[in-house]
Amino acid sequence: MSSAPVASIITPVVGREGGGEAFAILGSGLVGASVSFGDAQAAGISVHESGTVLVGVTPAHESGNVKVNVITPAGASSVPDGYTFE
């Protein structure tokens, strides 16, 4: 059985409202993950086979700080401090 994901860090922490920007999340147990920024789903999710690095493309979202959720079949985790759209 897989362990629940841990989303430790996202980089960058700020991006455009229009989305379309690359991001990376570092953590553990990220295999099979989907990622949401607030209520918007990220696209192009790819996870390194180690399960410690996830990359994707930000969705469009209104300005402000939002919660970033990483969801896998084994559970969910939120990135500390979220992500800010400007």
Side-chain angles (χ1 to χ4, degrees), residues 7 16 20 25 32 36 40 43 65 71-72 74-75 77 79 83 86:
R16 297 187 315 258
I25 293 175
S36 64
N65 184 268
I71 300 139
T72 72
S77 179
V79 176
Y83 182 87
E86 294 185 332

Side-chain angles (χ1 to χ4, degrees), residues 1-85:
M1 181 173 162
S2 299
S3 58
V6 175
S8 301
I9 298 169
I10 188 168
T11 184
V13 296
V14 177
R16 297 187 315 258
E17 285 184 37
E21 298 184 288
F23 70 90
I25 293 175
L26 307 179
S28 63
L30 304 176
V31 173
S34 64
V35 179
S36 64
F37 287 71
D39 58 2
Q41 290 293 314
I45 301 299
S46 176
V47 180
H48 186 271
E49 64 187 25
S50 67
T52 60
V53 180
L54 176 156
V55 296
V57 178
T58 60
H61 197 285
E62 63 188 33
S63 66
N65 184 268
V66 297
K67 191 172 192 178
V68 179
N69 292 309
V70 176
I71 300 139
T72 72
S77 179
S78 296
V79 176
D81 302 321
Y83 182 87
T84 301
F85 287 92

